[in-house]
Every structure is written in structure tokens, then in C-alpha cells.
Amino acid sequence: MGRDTPPGQPGFKGTEIGRVRGLGSAQTGSHHSHLMHLTSAASLVTCAYLVFSFVLLPDFTYETLRAWLSGAVPSLALALLIVGVFRHVQLGLQVLAEDYVHAAGARYAVLLALNLVLFAAAAFGLWCIARVVFGVMAETTAREGMAAMQAAMQQQQGAPR
């Protein structure tokens, strides 16, 4: 009984208008709404952190911003902002597609295209952040390695034979 019972049969649970139309509740609206609120709150918090972090920077040159972004906290905050914003956009556009695209096949195609485009865009943003972070780490490691090698060579040249 319950949701599996067809409309008009004893034991069918639903609203009055749902019984008249032969429809029931999908039981997923509150979860979707909670996700929308969660992603918007997470985006607001991370965006506020990033704005205050930008204000505290001494200047906005490429080197300064690259060094700032290579830190663990700013890169993580930016990654969380990307994930949160793209998920929020995906949820909002999903609701629009479900409300305004009426043909089932077209709705499926629109949602599939929407998900693919948004996933690709979010993945590209995360890849760009990782590229900056790991590029700075590789340059720092290479610089330290070169400095150690030069120091070892100078020490070897100064040692008596």
C-alpha cells in the first residue's frame, strides 16, 4: 500500500488534487530545496572569505596572486566555491528544465546536456586551480634543488684535494 498503490484504489496516499489528477507527490522537493540552501550558504561563506582575503593582499600583481593561490587555504576555498556554485547552478537549471520542458525525451536530453556542460566547466576550473598550485610547488622545489646543488658544488670546489 502507500505510494505503490495506484490512484483511486484504497490505501492510495496523496493530496486531494493529486488523487483527482491521478498524481502523487514525488517526495523529493524538500531534499532539492535543502541542497539549494546548502550550496548557496556554502558559496556565500567561501565568497566572503575570498573577498576579505583579497582585501588583505598588498597588491594585485600576477606574482602576488599566484603565490596567494598556491596556499592551501585559498586554493581549497576557491575549489569549494567552484563546486558549490556549479552545483547550485545545476540544481536551479534542473528545476527550470523540469518546469518548462514538457516532452519527456527532450527533458532528458536537456538535463543530460546541462549536466555534462556544468560538470566539464567545474572540472576545468578545478584543473586550473590544481595547475597553478602544483606549478608553484614544482617551481619552488626546483629552485630549492638548484640552490642545494649550487651550495654542494661551491662546497666541493672549496674543499682541499
Side-chain angles (χ1 to χ4, degrees):
M1 291 267 171
R3 277 190 265 168
D4 298 333
T5 305
Q9 299 294 322
F12 175 73
K13 293 181 182 176
T15 62
E16 291 295 319
I17 193 72
R19 275 190 226 108
V20 170
R21 291 183 183 159
L23 305 171
S25 171
Q27 305 292 326
T28 60
S30 63
H31 175 71
H32 198 272
S33 176
H34 290 309
L35 275 177
M36 287 288 288
H37 287 98
L38 181 68
T39 56
S40 64
S43 298
L44 181 68
V45 170
T46 54
C47 196
Y49 165 76
L50 291 171
V51 166
F52 286 122
S53 184
F54 280 153
V55 169
L56 297 176
L57 288 175
D59 58 8
F60 296 113
T61 61
Y62 175 77
E63 292 79 20
T64 304
L65 289 174
R66 190 169 177 220
W68 171 79
L69 184 58
S70 68
V73 175
S75 61
L76 179 64
L78 196 56
L80 289 175
L81 181 67
I82 287 172
V83 169
V85 166
F86 277 102
R87 179 67 171 142
H88 187 79
V89 168
Q90 187 266 336
L91 291 168
L93 291 177
Q94 177 185 345
V95 169
L96 285 175
E98 290 170 350
D99 287 346
Y100 295 108
V101 179
H102 299 293
R107 183 181 310 136
Y108 179 76
V110 167
L111 289 174
L112 181 65
L114 168 80
N115 288 336
L116 289 174
V117 168
L118 289 175
F119 179 79
F124 178 72
L126 294 174
W127 177 75
C128 289
I129 293 171
R131 193 171 156 203
V132 169
V133 169
F134 293 127
V136 169
M137 288 173 59
E139 286 177 8
T140 304
T141 304
R143 244 184 275 124
E144 290 171 357
M146 288 296 292
M149 192 167 85
Q150 287 174 349
M153 288 176 68
Q154 287 175 354
Q155 185 180 21
Q156 187 180 26
Q157 287 176 355
R161 294 185 184 233

